[in-house]
Amino acid sequence: MGQHSVIHTPKPSDYQELTRIWEDSVRATHDFLPQSYIECLRHLVLTRYLDAVMLICTKDARQRITGFAGVAAGKVEMLFIDPQYRGQGLGRQLLHYAVASMNADELDVNEQNPQALGFYIKQGFEVIGRTEHDGMGQPYPLLHMRLKQAQQTRSG
């Protein structure tokens, strides 16, 4: 983990690599998504979604990107780890950085992705709502989550 201790800011020239990591991660964790939808989303990730967020990433000792997160308006909009680097604390590192340095205290997670849901709960997030469809109107329910401490701070 020490070699991944620095958070980097990826450049537009890294977008192809970020999109590859996104796709590999989605294929490893989102087995409920059909191939055609993954291909549609991959195009949107590359051409629109990466530009819509503030990006951070982790890199290995050879400076290859191993995971990334994107934050917009206080919300973690994306968090993906290259499958070969899962379980090394990179997701936790990116999430903690997003919370501490980018004021992110909310996120959405696919209800059909129990690994991610468990990860976010373990990191102190709680479910505060649910929608039947994803952001593109497809029938993949989303759970809306908020960091518990942030909710307590807001309410009093």
Side-chain angles (χ1 to χ4, degrees):
M1 167 96 175
Q3 63 193 359
H4 292 90
S5 59
V6 177
I7 297 289
H8 301 270
T9 303
K11 304 178 203 58
S13 59
D14 295 319
Y15 283 11
Q16 288 286 347
E17 182 65 5
L18 296 177
T19 302
R20 181 201 61 79
I21 291 168
W22 173 87
E23 183 175 1
D24 290 351
S25 179
V26 165
R27 290 186 185 283
T29 58
H30 293 63
D31 57 0
F32 54 92
L33 294 177
Q35 171 70 20
S36 59
Y37 196 51
I38 291 174
E39 290 172 8
C40 172
L41 289 173
R42 177 180 57 216
H43 175 73
L44 291 170
V45 167
L46 181 60
T47 61
R48 292 180 49 198
Y49 295 166
L50 294 174
D51 278 331
V53 296
M54 294 176 51
L55 291 165
I56 55 174
C57 68
T58 53
K59 294 183 178 182
D60 66 11
R62 299 191 315 207
Q63 295 303 299
R64 289 181 308 187
I65 296 172
T66 54
F68 72 97
V71 174
K75 186 174 180 182
V76 177
E77 295 287 353
M78 51 184 79
L79 176 62
F80 294 96
I81 305 301
D82 189 317
Q84 66 182 340
Y85 292 96
R86 285 182 66 198
Q88 297 181 22
L90 302 180
R92 184 175 63 246
Q93 181 183 355
L94 287 164
L95 184 61
H96 287 188
Y97 185 90
V99 168
S101 300
M102 302 170 83
N103 299 314
D105 64 356
E106 294 187 2
L107 56 88
D108 292 338
V109 65
N110 286 102
E111 186 175 65
Q112 294 154 291
N113 185 352
Q115 289 180 351
L117 177 60
F119 166 76
Y120 291 124
I121 288 171
K122 188 175 178 184
Q123 301 307 313
F125 283 77
E126 62 185 345
V127 175
I128 59 168
R130 180 183 186 275
T131 54
E132 284 290 325
H133 298 89
D134 68 7
M136 293 188 46
Q138 297 300 307
Y140 305 110
L142 292 177
L143 298 175
H144 309 297
M145 303 187 80
R146 181 181 294 144
L147 192 62
K148 287 179 186 175
Q149 297 137 312
Q151 188 175 21
Q152 292 167 355
T153 301
R154 285 189 183 134
S155 62

